[in-house]
């Protein structure tokens, strides 16, 4: 899955690159606390309300973080002492005024500095190398955590919660956030159990590290050099360049194929030779298993991680790790999740069977002489899409120049959400490519309500690059009415840079990423919550965090939106209608197959954290329910699923699918409103709910305020073109018709 910087909490829980790199160690080159800085700190807001990025140095960043982290920890201790006094005159009489607001004031400078450091880390690694950023990240995270590990603060909030006072919706969410974070950190565990929990967490960290380390070694251990140019004729130039052993011989080769996920995905998509496809696929699915290098097997660590997570959950008072996971999810319960996934499967499985039969027929018609298997699907899927639907990824680039796409995206946001986006020149940035934009309320006021940077182009040797992921949204400053802070964000991407007067041309995947990240940014920037701990994406349940991003990408299903962001970069001719139709068909092509795979991984993850059955037995039971192909006897894919076992997505893999489902239902509301000429009203309602309320309201309540009901899987199924309403024949049998019929 794609990773995102979506605010402070998201960084802590979702960006494993940082945690993984930390295992290699680093050297702190400057003091942790740092010397006093008599001059004004460039990391704080200047007269124009923005950080002075050009004046930031590594030493100032690390030193400032050290000072601010120490101040937070010292302030928490002072607050604990105040709570302990217990008298109305000197202690706590109002948990909002005397506890939560002081904590917000205390943490604001640290959060801003941390946001600046994250931005530089992704946007200019010469100003913020990985080792230095890790120093900052770990120090800031430790300081931020201390308020959730404070027994006096927890006690004061719990007493207030149970004291009969009526709090506002936001205040309740804020108090509940502290109580839940503290509970999940083990604050209610006492005596021997507390020591056991500490031991369990330490062992869990060790096992997750071993799991990830072995997976990394296994990925690096395999490589295949291809010398025959005939095998690479269908590969696009950008992919050939990525695989070339010698960058001066991109066309001639040789090319090196590895087990990096992005490479595996693209190679299977473009390689015409079935033997080469099988060789790479079997190496990928068998890595870290007993069928390959025994020293790199992860089966033992996988089972240990499951066992330790189960014990962790029991010590914290939960039936299973999956039940514990539901505490931080919009879906709320395992039963509700299973019911929804079963309903999706009811339509996805028949669609998948039809799609695979059609794909095999297509392959046979084009000379394929074997039975279609899993590793054949990506290649023939691409061929079928190109031939039957006239979809050419590379040719479409010419109609997606960055200035046109970005301008159309901004106009779309302005028309839907009643805002104005205005570039502000002369702003201090970390590179000349970076631009800054103010956001205004269109219908009232001339004072900016938020601002964001765009840094869209790749820069070798300077910007962080992760294959298959070319974009991030960084929340630099959270909105806080208490502190008077307006939200500030950065969109950082790795799109192709303009060359020789030719603008950057985006692929359809790039356009999706830009829309998705801008959707995240809008939720961060247009929030109207009072407290930074609830602003934007902060405190949003995991399975709802991606909703705003997916809503924006769903808008790309609308032909009018596609037209508004496209024109040929040279001739400025509009995108032909047949190309728009091809894009729409691409979005639905093999949708049943893709949905079945997502449902399989979501169910696998859930069952692995619900039961104690051996992992392979769970795989053998689930696999046939979601796949039309037989399970390979040596397939051990769970042994390399780092997202689940060394990352933080255990019992949470379903979150992406759930957020897509919710977003599809939101998008259906926009389309319904459009047919009535009321799309702007739907946009304002969306702004007043999903974008404004942030983490200050439970996502289920946010959805009900927007849609007037609970979310339904039907919209996603219709969006994918696989919804088939069932009609009774009156004789006990049923018939089905497609939505288009």
């Amino acid at each position: 899955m794609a990773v995102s910087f979506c605010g402070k909490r998201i960084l802590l829980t979702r960006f494993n690159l940082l945690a993984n790199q930390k295992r290699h160690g680093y050297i702190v080159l400057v003091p942790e606390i740092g010397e006093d800085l008599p001059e004004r700190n460039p990391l704080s807001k200047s007269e124009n309300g923005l950080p002075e990025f050009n004046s930031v140095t590594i030493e100032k960043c690390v030193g400032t973080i050290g000072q601010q982290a120490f101040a937070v920890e010292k302030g928490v201790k002072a607050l604990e002492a105040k709570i302990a006094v217990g008298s109305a005159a000197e202690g706590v009489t109002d948990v909002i005024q005397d506890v939560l607001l002081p904590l917000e004031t205390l943490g604001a400078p640290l959060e801003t500095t941390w946001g600046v450091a994250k931005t530089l880390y992704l946007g200019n690694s010469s100003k913020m190398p990985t080792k230095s950023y890790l120093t900052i990240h770990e120090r800031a995270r430790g300081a931020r955590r201390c308020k959730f590990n404070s027994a006096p603060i927890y006690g004061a909030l719990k007493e207030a919660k149970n004291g009969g006072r009526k709090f506002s919706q936001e205040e309740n969410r804020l108090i509940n956030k502290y109580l839940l974070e503290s509970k999940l950190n083990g604050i209610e565990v006492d005596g021997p159990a507390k020591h056991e929990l500490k031991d369990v967490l330490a062992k869990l960290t060790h096992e997750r590290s071993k799991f990830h380390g072995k997976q990394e070694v296994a990925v690096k251990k395999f490589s295949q050099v291809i010398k025959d140019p005939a095998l690479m004729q269908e590969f696009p130039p950008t992919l050939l360049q990525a695989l070339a052993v010698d960058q001066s011989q991109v066309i001639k080769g040789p090319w090196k194929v590895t087990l990096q996920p992005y490479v595996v995905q693209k190679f299977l998509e473009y390689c015409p030779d079935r033997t080469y496809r099988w060789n790479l696929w079997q190496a990928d699915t068998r890595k870290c298993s007993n069928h390959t290098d025994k020293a790199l097997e992860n089966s033992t660590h996988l089972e240990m991680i499951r066992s330790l997570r189960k014990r962790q959950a029991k010590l914290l008072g939960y039936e299973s790790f999956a039940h514990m996971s539901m505490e931080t999810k919009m879906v709320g319960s395992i039963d509700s999740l299973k019911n929804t996934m079963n309903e999706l499967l009811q339509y996805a499985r028949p669609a998948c069977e039809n799609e695979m039969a059609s794909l095999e027929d297509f392959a046979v018609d084009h000379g394929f002489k074997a039975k279609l298997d899993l590793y054949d699907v990506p290649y023939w899927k691409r061929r079928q899409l190109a031939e039957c639907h006239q979809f050419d990824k590379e040719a479409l680039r010419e109609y997606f120049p960055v200035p046109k796409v970005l301008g159309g995206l901004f106009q779309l946001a302005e028309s839907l959400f009643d805002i104005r986006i205005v570039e502000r020149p002369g702003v201090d940035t970390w590179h000349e490519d970076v631009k800054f934009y103010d956001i205004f309320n269109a219908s009232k006021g001339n004072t900016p309500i938020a601002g964001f940077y765009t840094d869209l182009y790749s820069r070798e040797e300077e910007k962080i690059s992760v294959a298959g992921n070319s974009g991030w949204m960084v929340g630099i400053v959270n909105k806080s009415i208490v502190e008077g802070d307006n939200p500030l964000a950065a969109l950082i991407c790795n799109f192709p840079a303009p060359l020789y007067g030719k603008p950057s041309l985006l692929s359809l995947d790039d356009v999706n990423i830009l829309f998705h990240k801008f959707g995240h940014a809008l939720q961060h920037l247009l929030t109207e919550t009072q407290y930074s701990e609830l602003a934007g994406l902060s405190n949003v349940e995991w399975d709802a965090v991606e909703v705003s991003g997916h809503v924006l990408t769903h808008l790309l299903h609308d032909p009018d939106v596609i037209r508004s962001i496209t024109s040929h970069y040279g001739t400025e001719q509009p995108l032909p209608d047949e190309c728009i139709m091809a894009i729409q068909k691409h979005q639905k092509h093999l949708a049943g197959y893709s949905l079945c795979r997502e449902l399989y991984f979501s169910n696998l993850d859930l069952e692995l954290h619900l039961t104690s059955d051996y992992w392979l037995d769970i795989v053998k039971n689930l696999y046939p329910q979601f796949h039309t192909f037989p399970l390979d006897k040596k397939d051990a894919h769970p042994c390399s699923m780092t997202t689940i076992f060394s990352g933080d997505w255990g019992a949470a893999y379903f979150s992406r699918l759930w957020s897509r489902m919710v977003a599809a239902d939101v998008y259906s509301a926009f389309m319904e409103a459009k047919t009535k000429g009321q799309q702007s009203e739907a946009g304002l309602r969306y702004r007043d709910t999903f974008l404004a309320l942030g983490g200050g309201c439970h996502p289920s309540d946010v959805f009900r305020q927007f849609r007037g009901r609970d979310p339904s899987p039907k919209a996603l199924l219709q969006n994918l073109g696989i919804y088939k309403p069932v009609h009774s024949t009156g004789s006990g049998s049923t018939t089905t018709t497609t939505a288009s019929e």
Side-chain angles (χ1 to χ4, degrees):
M1 291 186 70
V3 291
S4 294
F5 280 96
C6 313
K8 295 4 178 232
R9 185 175 67 83
I10 306 303
L11 176 70
L12 294 183
T13 54
R14 293 168 170 76
F15 194 62
N16 294 318
L17 173 65
L18 303 178
N20 298 339
Q21 288 179 329
K22 179 178 182 293
R23 295 187 184 100
H24 302 300
Y26 54 87
I27 300 171
V28 180
L29 301 177
V30 294
E32 180 184 291
I33 300 300
E35 299 176 0
D36 289 336
L37 304 174
E39 71 276 15
R40 198 186 57 73
N41 179 10
L43 292 141
S44 62
K45 291 177 290 186
S46 62
E47 291 180 2
N48 65 3
L50 303 173
E52 295 179 356
F53 281 99
N54 263 324
S55 302
V56 174
T57 65
I58 297 169
E59 292 80 8
K60 286 179 180 177
C61 250
V62 178
T64 301
I65 280 284
Q67 290 176 340
Q68 291 171 343
F70 180 75
V72 167
E73 292 161 347
K74 183 179 178 182
V76 168
K77 289 186 181 300
L79 188 56
E80 289 176 336
K82 182 178 180 182
I83 293 170
V85 170
S87 70
E90 300 179 29
V92 172
T93 58
D94 184 324
V95 292
I96 303 297
Q97 295 296 325
D98 298 335
V99 178
L100 295 177
L101 294 187
L103 285 172
E104 177 134 335
T105 300
L106 200 59
L110 176 69
E111 299 291 343
T112 298
T113 304
W114 195 2
V116 170
K118 280 184 280 189
T119 303
L120 288 176
Y121 172 57
L122 291 170
N124 192 332
S125 58
S126 61
K127 281 182 170 287
M128 184 56 60
T130 298
K131 291 180 180 180
S132 300
Y133 178 74
L134 289 175
T135 306
I136 290 167
H137 174 70
E138 291 302 315
R139 187 68 184 96
R141 184 168 67 169
R144 195 173 195 278
R145 194 165 45 224
C146 70
K147 62 189 174 186
F148 299 120
N149 289 328
S150 169
I153 291 174
Y154 178 77
L157 293 174
K158 193 171 184 180
E159 182 181 349
K161 177 74 175 175
N162 299 329
R165 171 183 165 182
K166 288 192 177 297
F167 293 99
S168 70
Q169 176 180 265
E170 276 194 33
E171 290 169 344
N172 268 316
R173 283 281 286 180
L174 187 58
I175 292 170
N176 288 339
K177 172 181 181 174
Y178 273 83
L179 294 178
L180 180 57
E181 291 269 9
S182 299
K183 179 183 177 181
L184 295 178
N185 281 335
I187 205 158
E188 292 184 344
V189 182
D190 294 318
K194 197 169 191 72
H195 294 290
E196 184 183 355
L197 178 62
K198 184 177 180 181
D199 183 53
V200 165
L201 294 176
K203 288 179 179 177
L204 193 50
T205 299
H206 174 73
E207 291 296 327
R208 289 169 63 181
S209 176
K210 294 287 286 184
F211 188 98
H212 190 276
K214 287 186 176 182
Q215 190 268 355
E216 277 192 327
V217 173
V219 166
K220 293 176 182 176
K221 189 174 181 180
F222 175 91
S223 66
Q224 182 178 23
V225 175
I226 297 176
K227 298 180 180 179
D228 183 4
L231 287 174
M232 311 298 284
Q233 285 183 356
E234 296 181 38
F235 284 63
T238 52
L239 187 54
L240 287 176
Q241 185 175 9
L243 300 179
V245 174
D246 182 350
Q247 289 298 303
S248 67
Q249 301 292 327
V250 171
I251 304 300
K252 284 187 174 183
W255 303 269
K256 184 177 180 181
V257 179
T258 69
L259 292 183
Q260 292 292 343
Y262 177 76
V263 174
V264 173
Q265 173 195 341
K266 291 299 180 183
F267 186 83
L268 293 179
E269 191 176 332
Y270 286 96
C271 178
D273 189 290
R274 192 175 195 237
T275 302
Y276 277 88
R277 291 200 302 267
W278 176 85
N279 187 52
L280 183 65
W281 176 83
Q282 61 85 23
D284 186 49
T285 56
R286 297 176 188 180
K287 64 181 181 287
C288 299
S289 73
N290 288 315
H291 303 296
T292 54
D293 188 341
K294 295 291 193 294
L296 295 178
E297 68 88 15
N298 262 339
S299 177
T300 305
H301 301 297
L302 186 159
E303 289 298 296
M304 184 59 72
I305 290 167
R306 292 177 65 204
S307 176
L308 289 167
R309 283 176 171 171
K310 183 177 182 179
R311 186 58 189 153
Q312 175 193 1
K314 291 285 187 183
L315 289 168
L316 292 173
Y318 296 97
E319 181 180 339
S320 72
F321 191 79
H323 286 84
M324 185 177 86
S325 174
M326 293 301 111
E327 288 272 45
T328 56
K329 308 302 182 294
M330 173 185 177
V331 66
S333 73
I334 290 170
D335 287 343
S336 177
L337 175 59
K338 284 190 170 184
N339 288 338
T340 299
M341 291 198 293
N342 288 338
E343 186 173 351
L344 289 169
L345 182 62
Q346 177 186 352
Y347 296 96
R349 177 66 195 233
C352 177
E353 291 171 355
N354 291 334
E355 290 164 356
M356 291 302 100
S358 171
L359 189 66
E360 186 159 33
D361 289 343
F362 174 84
V364 169
D365 289 344
H366 289 74
F368 187 63
K369 301 188 186 315
K371 186 171 178 57
L372 197 73
D373 210 332
L374 196 60
Y375 50 88
D376 300 313
V377 172
Y379 176 76
W380 289 108
K381 174 184 177 181
R382 179 185 62 81
R383 289 279 305 272
Q384 186 184 50
L385 186 61
E387 185 165 324
C388 297
H389 303 311
Q390 290 77 51
F391 182 80
D392 186 337
K393 283 185 178 181
E394 294 304 309
L396 279 174
R397 282 182 181 270
E398 297 186 354
Y399 289 89
F400 288 105
V402 163
K404 180 66 175 179
V405 175
L406 198 63
L409 174 58
F410 289 173
Q411 288 175 11
L412 177 66
E414 289 176 335
S415 65
L416 286 177
F417 308 128
D418 192 36
I419 58 175
R420 286 188 298 117
I421 300 173
V422 181
E423 183 179 352
R424 189 199 301 185
V427 169
D428 189 305
T429 65
W430 56 93
H431 190 273
E432 60 184 9
D433 289 343
V434 180
K435 295 182 178 180
F436 182 81
Y437 298 87
D438 286 306
I439 296 181
F440 300 83
N441 274 320
S443 56
K444 54 182 177 181
N446 292 314
T447 302
I449 59 172
F452 64 97
Y453 301 88
T454 61
D455 184 2
L456 302 181
Y457 307 125
S458 63
R459 294 190 291 275
E460 290 186 24
E461 312 299 330
E462 190 171 295
K463 291 178 78 172
I464 292 289
S465 178
V466 178
N469 177 38
S470 55
W472 292 272
M473 192 288 286
V474 183
I476 302 174
V477 178
N478 271 17
K479 182 179 179 66
S480 171
I481 291 178
V482 177
E483 291 299 297
D485 290 336
N486 280 340
L488 183 66
L491 288 172
I492 300 177
C493 300
N494 274 307
F495 301 144
L499 286 175
Y500 310 116
K502 183 178 178 180
S504 173
L505 302 178
L506 302 183
S507 68
L508 188 60
D509 290 340
D510 292 335
V511 175
N512 270 278
I513 286 171
L514 180 59
F515 269 61
H516 191 92
K517 300 308 173 186
F518 191 65
H520 276 299
L522 287 175
Q523 188 164 355
H524 179 84
L525 296 166
L526 298 184
T527 187
E528 293 182 6
T529 54
Q530 293 192 66
Y531 308 99
S532 66
E533 291 283 357
L534 306 176
L537 294 157
S538 299
N539 198 46
V540 174
E541 277 67 10
W542 287 36
D543 50 350
V545 164
E546 298 286 336
V547 168
S548 290
H550 285 307
V551 168
L552 263 287
T553 57
H554 272 82
L555 288 169
L556 287 170
H557 293 235
D558 184 344
D560 292 333
V561 172
I562 297 174
R563 291 187 185 96
S564 72
I565 64 169
T566 54
S567 65
H568 192 277
Y569 80 94
T571 65
E572 297 187 359
Q573 290 296 308
L575 184 67
D577 287 344
E578 56 267 28
C579 290
I580 294 176
M581 291 179 62
I583 290 173
Q584 291 181 307
K585 289 175 181 176
H586 165 261
Q587 292 161 333
K588 297 179 181 180
H589 188 233
L590 267 57
Y593 167 79
S594 299
L595 182 54
C596 278
R597 284 178 62 81
E598 281 290 299
L599 287 167
Y600 166 69
F601 286 120
S602 298
N603 277 276
L604 175 63
D605 172 43
L606 195 63
E607 290 302 313
L608 286 168
H609 291 96
L610 267 176
T611 72
S612 298
D613 298 341
Y614 183 52
W615 69 264
L616 185 54
D617 293 333
I618 296 174
V619 169
K620 288 179 178 178
N621 177 50
L622 287 177
Y623 199 89
Q625 300 176 39
F626 301 90
H627 295 85
T628 59
F629 304 105
L631 176 66
D632 184 85
K633 291 181 180 180
K634 295 183 178 180
D635 189 334
H637 55 273
C639 291
S640 57
M641 291 176 69
T642 53
T643 304
I644 292 172
F645 292 108
S646 62
D648 295 294
W649 289 92
Y653 189 91
F654 73 89
S655 296
R656 178 177 176 272
L657 181 57
W658 183 269
S659 64
R660 280 178 59 205
M661 183 194 78
V662 174
D665 208 339
V666 171
Y667 170 71
S668 69
F670 278 99
M671 292 301 98
E672 290 166 13
K674 185 178 180 180
T675 61
K676 302 173 184 176
Q678 298 173 351
Q679 196 168 30
S680 59
E681 287 87 341
L684 290 177
R685 192 167 72 251
Y686 181 76
R687 177 181 172 178
D688 291 339
T689 51
F690 280 94
L691 301 183
L693 298 175
C697 181
H698 193 279
S700 296
D701 294 328
V702 174
F703 186 89
R704 290 186 198 107
Q705 289 184 44
F706 175 75
R707 204 72 171 98
R709 57 168 172 77
D710 290 329
S712 164
K714 179 181 175 181
L716 177 61
L717 293 166
Q718 288 179 324
N719 194 252
L720 296 174
I722 59 176
Y723 180 64
K724 295 183 178 181
V726 178
H727 302 291
S728 173
T729 62
S731 59
S733 60
T734 60
T735 59
T736 61
T737 58
T738 63
S740 59
E741 293 173 339

